[in-house]
Amino acid sequence: MTPHPSSAAKAESFHKLHAAVHAPLVLVNVWDAASARMVEEAGATAVATSSSAVSWSLGYRDGDHLPRVLALEALRRIVAVTSVPVTADVETGYGRSDEELRDTILAVLDAGAVGINLEDSAGEPLAETAEQARRIAVVRRAADDAGVDLFINARTDTYLSGKFPGTAYEETLRRSEAYLAAGANGVFVPGVVDLHVLHELSRHIAAPLNALAGLGAPSPLELHDAGVRRVSIGGNTAKAAYATVARVATEIMGDGNWSALAGSRSHEQMDALFEG
């Protein structure tokens, strides 16, 4: 494949964003063109998709139920309207075979994205470490062959799954080491926001650490002080947006109260997101 014209510069920029000294890379995850433009308009230096949010917006449950073609269509629309680097949540890769995984990565690169999240949640309790490392190596080779310095964020669900009581920390370090050796650039550990645990993980993982945050979590700067270099909010952006839809619908169909529409963007402001 021919690399996307701006991929090289965006890939370089995206890698550098993980090395900021004073603040983490904060990703307010998106699911469509409008949410991507709004996040960029708010000052985001990069845009990340949320597989759960994309799935819900298209009528699917989260967790590898979204057809790859629909995920990639959404990604192309997002990349097309943004000027900053885009990283794509591809769940477990939208395919179990090496050929299917390679096809996913090439399509992601062809869309113009310069990063991915690849998770190890396939299997029970999780994918075998060696097998997941091998799949990461497949991704690395595919990206290298395409001439794109893809940022591979290796997600491990050691904490989020709840399948490793008492041993999640050790299991996370073991998997992280294997994933990084296979070609990953960063490690994403959702399910833990304890600053002490994150600090210890960051000390022993030789790559940027990504935490999943939301209500009740420490602030981005507190997370950064603990060693976190990338903060995501995952499907929380979409949950907040859909909560607004539910509130508006409930009030209007209930007592006919229009107050839930206060503060809405104007038609002109929405159109302006896509000028040019």
Side-chain angles (χ1 to χ4, degrees):
M1 60 164 281
T2 301
H4 197 274
S6 60
S7 289
K10 286 185 176 179
E12 181 181 4
S13 172
F14 192 58
H15 279 265
K16 289 180 178 178
L17 288 171
H18 291 79
V21 175
H22 301 296
L25 168 60
V26 178
L27 296 171
V28 178
N29 300 73
V30 306
W31 63 95
D32 64 4
S35 60
R37 282 291 299 119
M38 288 180 175
V39 167
E40 182 180 13
E41 182 184 68
T45 54
V47 164
T49 67
S50 160
S51 62
S52 60
V54 174
S55 297
W56 299 329
S57 73
L58 296 173
Y60 292 85
R61 292 184 294 128
D62 185 27
D64 281 328
H65 296 287
L66 180 67
R68 176 172 60 187
V69 63
L70 296 183
L72 291 169
E73 285 176 359
L75 177 62
R76 287 184 181 278
R77 293 189 181 100
I78 288 166
V79 174
V81 300
T82 55
S83 62
V84 297
V86 175
T87 182
D89 182 349
V90 298
E91 303 188 72
T92 62
Y94 301 122
R96 296 312 305 161
S97 72
D98 288 0
E99 182 179 5
E100 290 171 328
L101 180 58
R102 181 179 174 84
D103 286 347
T104 294
I105 299 309
L106 293 179
V108 165
L109 296 176
D110 187 61
V114 295
I116 64 160
N117 276 10
L118 186 70
E119 62 193 61
D120 60 9
S121 56
E124 183 61 38
L126 299 182
E128 290 294 329
T129 302
E131 172 59 14
Q132 184 67 5
R134 192 191 65 77
R135 287 171 60 79
I136 289 171
V138 170
V139 172
R140 174 53 62 206
R141 287 194 298 272
D144 289 349
D145 290 346
V148 178
D149 188 13
L150 181 71
F151 192 102
I152 303 173
N153 202 34
R155 169 175 153 174
T156 180
D157 284 357
T158 45
Y159 281 90
L160 192 63
S161 67
K163 301 293 186 180
F164 300 94
T167 62
Y169 176 78
E170 292 78 11
E171 184 69 16
T172 301
L173 294 184
R174 187 176 69 83
R175 286 175 176 266
S176 297
E177 183 177 6
Y179 298 167
L180 293 173
N185 302 98
V187 176
F188 182 22
V189 189
V192 56
V193 291
D194 182 283
L195 293 175
H196 174 71
V197 174
L198 290 170
H199 177 66
E200 289 303 308
L201 288 173
S202 70
R203 287 181 59 233
H204 294 96
I205 294 175
L209 177 63
N210 184 181
L212 179 67
L215 280 175
S219 71
L221 288 179
E222 288 174 315
L223 290 167
H224 186 266
D225 287 344
V228 173
R229 293 297 173 261
R230 172 168 164 170
V231 179
S232 310
I233 67 170
N236 288 320
T237 325
K239 292 174 188 175
Y242 291 137
T244 298
V245 174
R247 185 172 65 254
V248 169
T250 299
E251 291 193 8
I252 291 175
M253 292 189 294
D255 59 9
N257 184 349
W258 306 107
S259 63
L261 296 174
S264 298
R265 285 188 169 227
S266 70
H267 197 92
E268 291 74 19
Q269 286 174 319
M270 290 302 301
D271 276 349
L273 291 172
F274 307 107
E275 287 180 351

